[in-house]
Amino acid sequence: MCYSIPGKVVEIKNNIVSIEYFDSVKRARNDFEKLELGDYVYAQGGFVISKITAKEALKILEVWKELFKELDKQDLQLSQTGSTLTSKANHIRHKTIGNSCCVHGILEISNFCRNNCHYCGIRKDNKSIERYRMSDEKILASVDRAANEFGFKALVLQSGEDPDLINDVFADLIATIRNRFPVLIFLSIGEFPLKLYQKFYKAGARGVLLRFETSNPNIYAKSRPGFKLETRLKLISELKRIGYALITGSILGLPDASVEDHLNDIKCALSLNPEMYSFGPLIPAPTTPFENTKSPNPEMIIEHLARTRMMKEDSNIVVTTALETLDPKARKKALLSGANSLMLNVTPEKYKKLYSIYPKKYGYDKDLKIQIDETINLLHELGRAPTDLSL
Ligand code: SAH
């Protein structure tokens, strides 16, 4: 979002460029721009997003110069305190990846779904919700607002598994978004044939958010009737092989999941070598078979994030909306326990409430502008800077 700064290209090796932000250098993939040494670019999620003029860049960097040093100092100070698991994880985060923190936007484009996942409020058999599918025009207008009005540099397009939206024609929409707006496109659309995903990649999508939901095949079968964990894991690996940046992880607290299962979830995620880890609690959704399951304790989720940081020191870990829903204070705690990334919901008000995978999703009743201000204040308080997370 507006929380991002341009950097200067200081090295180019094929499609990998090194970008300098004050005194740190990050690497990013450049699949979209013609670049020369000395150019100024915005990068996000390890990808160059757009080029900007030196004049414009220097103006922005001048404003950031002092603040940048202050943020660094603040992060260093906060990461040196405490000896608990979570504060150790925060220390490791600071030591390995510094104070970069990215904020992605999430746009929920359809709540139609052909599946009946036992945890999910937009499952096919839930006849009590109003369904919507955003038109291309509405999606483009929302991307425009997120990218140009609010400055988001990476957007996750999320939906139920909706073949009436996710088909060959969707590739044209991806290409239009990529041509018109300086954003990195992530897809969170469920399981579709590899060929279709290849088409979306060619059209300009570069990331996928696809969780394996649980690493326990029995719990998986009970949570997603008719589907196999093996198939999901295979698809996730294949998407990574195509070149997609991967965000993956699981739901913690599914019925019968043990402490060991949760540890195995970290191991399973590690084996997929994702660009970002996403672990969040189950939030029981009304009218679903899991509606009476109790949500896990937010502290357990935060410790899970800390453990992930310990097991993969240089990872990127997102604070999930589900965790923020469980405890609004969890965002700050998670960022001080190893996490280094946030997602804000940029779905238009009208649809936001209808994408009810679980009720009262964090931010469902809050204006985006207010959420952005709160986020920036928190990131300043914690000493986090908007440099790219790097490859
Ligand atoms: N159709 C896409 C996107 C689903 S929504 C897909 O299948 O990947 C994105 C994620 O929300 C899901 O992958 C799941 O991990 C999570 N989710 C769904 N219902 C939830 C609930 N009740 N509590 C917590 N997380 C949930």
Side-chain angles (χ1 to χ4, degrees):
M1 58 178 187
C2 23
Y3 210 62
S4 50
I5 59 164
K8 186 178 174 181
V9 176
V10 291
E11 190 180 77
I12 303 176
K13 271 192 188 156
N14 301 318
N15 72 333
I16 304 294
V17 296
S18 298
I19 305 169
E20 188 182 71
Y21 299 92
F22 299 108
D23 47 7
S24 68
V25 174
K26 310 264 178 175
R27 278 170 353 116
R29 239 165 84 184
N30 175 35
D31 289 359
F32 303 113
E33 298 289 334
K34 253 209 178 102
L35 292 180
E36 286 174 22
L37 289 178
D39 279 344
Y40 283 89
V41 293
Y42 276 112
Q44 184 100 116
F47 287 83
V48 173
I49 304 300
S50 59
K51 203 156 81 167
I52 71 164
T53 65
K55 196 174 159 202
E56 212 181 331
L58 292 171
K59 211 169 90 191
I60 299 168
L61 291 172
E62 188 54 38
V63 176
W64 271 95
K65 213 161 87 189
E66 287 310 310
L67 179 59
F68 215 76
K69 277 190 215 143
E70 278 171 37
L71 291 174
D72 230 4
K73 248 201 309 209
Q74 172 73 349
D75 182 39
L76 174 68
Q77 216 166 37
L78 287 172
S79 66
Q80 279 172 334
T81 54
S83 58
T84 56
L85 168 75
T86 52
S87 50
K88 277 187 191 153
N90 189 33
H91 180 67
I92 290 173
R93 188 264 321 144
H94 169 82
K95 208 176 65 188
T96 49
I97 56 166
N99 69 342
S100 303
C101 187
C102 75
V103 186
H104 292 357
I106 196 160
L107 178 61
E108 296 151 341
I109 54 181
S110 162
N111 71 352
F112 280 93
C113 191
R114 63 181 170 192
N115 295 336
N116 260 319
C117 303
H118 277 4
Y119 42 81
C120 188
I122 61 168
R123 64 204 302 271
K124 182 176 151 200
D125 284 355
N126 186 356
K127 306 285 183 229
S128 67
I129 59 164
E130 188 189 329
R131 301 280 171 174
Y132 74 91
R133 180 178 298 120
M134 284 171 72
S135 64
D136 284 8
E137 290 67 35
K138 289 225 166 82
I139 293 174
L140 290 169
S142 301
V143 174
D144 188 9
R145 179 170 175 256
N148 290 331
E149 192 177 330
F150 293 116
F152 282 89
K153 303 278 180 273
L155 285 183
V156 179
L157 304 181
Q158 188 168 86
S159 66
E161 221 170 88
D162 179 10
D164 285 332
L165 177 68
I166 308 304
N167 49 41
D168 285 328
V169 185
F170 191 65
D172 299 337
L173 182 66
I174 290 173
T176 309
I177 294 176
R178 195 43 242 171
N179 288 335
R180 283 197 206 164
F181 307 107
V183 287
L184 179 68
I185 304 169
F186 275 80
L187 303 174
S188 176
I189 52 178
E191 293 178 33
F192 285 90
L194 206 57
K195 267 213 163 122
L196 204 52
Y197 266 113
Q198 267 158 343
K199 203 165 177 178
F200 297 158
Y201 187 85
K202 226 172 155 189
R206 281 296 178 275
V208 284
L209 193 177
L210 192 65
R211 285 166 142 190
F212 51 84
E213 312 296 12
T214 166
S215 59
N216 180 323
N218 298 323
I219 297 178
Y220 190 92
K222 280 189 213 154
S223 305
R224 307 194 74 226
F227 292 97
K228 274 194 183 154
L229 174 62
E230 204 186 315
T231 318
R232 187 116 171 155
L233 289 175
K234 187 163 172 254
L235 175 62
I236 294 173
S237 302
E238 282 169 342
L239 293 175
K240 175 106 184 145
R241 216 166 301 131
I242 292 177
Y244 277 109
L246 172 66
I247 306 178
T248 194
S250 65
I251 306 179
L252 305 172
L254 286 168
D256 299 332
S258 63
V259 173
E260 199 187 345
D261 288 321
H262 289 162
L263 279 177
N264 284 336
D265 285 358
I266 302 181
K267 288 186 196 152
C268 179
L270 282 172
S271 74
L272 295 163
N273 194 22
E275 274 66 24
M276 192 176 284
Y277 294 80
S278 165
F279 295 106
L282 170 76
I283 308 223
T287 80
T288 64
F290 292 172
E291 67 179 334
N292 295 319
T293 309
K294 219 173 145 260
S295 277
N297 187 330
E299 297 302 328
M300 182 277 270
I301 311 293
I302 291 170
E303 284 187 6
H304 184 94
L305 302 185
R307 224 162 263 129
T308 306
R309 170 68 61 201
M310 303 289 223
M311 286 167 82
K312 176 83 175 124
E313 298 198 341
D314 61 350
S315 56
N316 293 310
I317 302 171
V318 66
V319 184
T320 58
T321 312
L323 176 59
E324 295 171 322
T325 305
L326 212 54
D327 175 5
K329 293 201 188 95
R331 171 187 284 188
K332 181 172 171 180
K333 288 188 204 159
L335 286 172
L336 289 172
S337 308
N340 66 327
S341 166
L342 296 171
M343 283 199 193
L344 293 188
N345 196 319
V346 302
T347 311
E349 298 299 320
K350 185 174 154 196
Y351 302 119
K352 204 153 84 174
K353 291 186 181 72
L354 301 176
Y355 195 83
S356 48
I357 49 177
Y358 49 80
K360 300 197 174 150
K361 207 170 340 120
Y362 183 78
Y364 84 106
D365 55 354
K366 218 183 253 181
D367 188 68
L368 179 58
K369 178 79 183 68
I370 295 173
Q371 288 190 58
I372 290 176
D373 289 346
E374 284 177 1
T375 305
I376 292 180
N377 287 341
L378 177 65
L379 294 179
H380 279 191
E381 184 193 330
L382 300 182
R384 302 301 168 90
T387 41
D388 185 34
L389 299 177
S390 189
L391 281 177

